Amino acid sequence: MEVDYIIVGLGLAGLAFTEELIKNNKTFLVFEDSSQNSSSVASGTYNPVILKRFTAAWNGHEQLQLALPFYEKIFKKIDKNLDTKFTARKVFNSVGDENNWFTAIDKPTLSNYMQPKILKEKINGIIGEFGFGELKGIGRIDTKELIKRYRSYLSLDEKLKEEEFEYNEIDFLEDGVNYKGILARKIVFCEGYGLKQNPFFNELPLNGTKGETMTIHAPELKIDFLLKSSIFVIPIGNDTYKVGATFNRKDKTSKTTEEGRQELIEKLEKTITVPYTITEQNAGVRPTVKDRRPLVGVHAIHSQLNILNGLGTRGIMIAPTIALNLFNHLEKGEELDKEIDIKRFL
Ligand SMILES: Cc1cc2nc3c(=O)[nH]c(=O)nc-3n(C[C@H](O)[C@H](O)[C@H](O)COP(=O)(O)OP(=O)(O)OC[C@H]3O[C@@H](n4cnc5c(N)ncnc54)[C@H](O)[C@@H]3O)c2cc1C
């Protein structure tokens, strides 16, 4: 078998690069072993405003302009719209928060999202004595369903191999690789935190930050917007909400923990006052990087090997932009954005 590309990993990064290949009529084969699950457990929100500090996420506005039509196209292929648009309300903790909101709103990209009116009315079931700031233009993609459906879509065409990619089986050829009889021009590694097992790229400073979320059923809450206090409460339909997430830099497993659950409960009880039951808990490791920028580029010795990783906490918005940049770099000689190029660590 001969293909242009082998892709290792089918989370948001692998999916975005695969889409570039399909768009450009390249042949490929994807390997996926379910050893990581960051994309499937992600809360799925896209929001270019960092609500902790009222600042703009790195290139967030530009990334979102590319990302929304990108996912829209995929929804047509998989026959299901998985994007829910809503507003968000940021709970203010003090009068100072209100002042900071007004200071931030004057910044060019933030004014596209942050509303100038502060909401002071009490909302049933929510603690918020200092009022709320409102955001527009944001939403959520159901990444669990997206990944599941996209894998089925590739399987139909026999483009997906659900097995581990074994690094020591790569034979290097002059203009490509031979992997267990599959001849490929290039490999793109999109392994998320699984990168740590990859002998060709594991010296890159991928830290990994574990996150846990819970799903709750809260029939008296009745909100149709994303609520942000020290945690997110995201409406996902039928009186259920996703609550998250934790940030743990020590534990690198994808297992749910009692510690994570207790942290979420504690924060939730400072946010809402209505009864709820926990119906689900999930955990995954976000591929975070020391300098908070993606890890993209070509191996210094083996130019057949490439990496698309380090999507951090905002994979939904970032993936389409960096996949396009890597594809254009490999196929059209376009420069890689210096901020994402792994050469910065050489
Ligand atoms: C709790 C939580 C909440 C989050 N919420 C959000 C959010 O609201 N919005 C947002 O934008 N982002 C969010 N994120 C971050 C987002 O999930 C990540 O940025 C993104 O999913 C990373 O995608 P990825 O494809 O790089 O990694 P992954 O999704 O981990 O995919 C890598 C894939 O590679 C496979 N793999 C690895 N090694 C091998 C191998 N040797 N052979 C075969 N397959 C292999 C793994 O099985 C895996 O499927 C959240 C993350 C977590 C954990």
Side-chain angles (χ1 to χ4, degrees), residues 22-33:
I22 295 173
K23 200 168 83 189
N24 290 282
N25 297 317
K26 301 290 178 197
T27 53
F28 65 90
L29 191 61
V30 181
F31 285 80
E32 169 55 54
D33 68 356

Side-chain angles (χ1 to χ4, degrees), residues 9 12-13 32-33 35-36 38-39 43-45 165 167 312-313 315-316:
L12 290 170
E32 169 55 54
D33 68 356
S35 54
Q36 296 291 325
S38 184
S39 299
S43 308
T45 56
F165 182 89
Y167 307 99
T313 58
I316 290 172

Side-chain angles (χ1 to χ4, degrees), residues 8-14 31-46 151 163-167 190-195 209-213 234 245-246 282-287 308-317:
V8 181
L10 196 73
L12 290 170
F31 285 80
E32 169 55 54
D33 68 356
S34 298
S35 54
Q36 296 291 325
N37 64 352
S38 184
S39 299
S40 301
V41 302
S43 308
T45 56
Y46 51 86
R151 286 182 187 173
E163 61 185 58
E164 183 186 355
F165 182 89
E166 295 174 79
Y167 307 99
C190 308
E191 309 129 305
Y193 190 68
L195 175 78
T209 308
K210 179 172 179 171
E212 296 194 53
T213 61
I234 307 166
T246 62
N282 286 298
V285 183
R286 305 170 183 92
L308 189 68
N309 207 315
L311 274 57
T313 58
R314 286 170 194 268
I316 290 172
M317 295 200 310

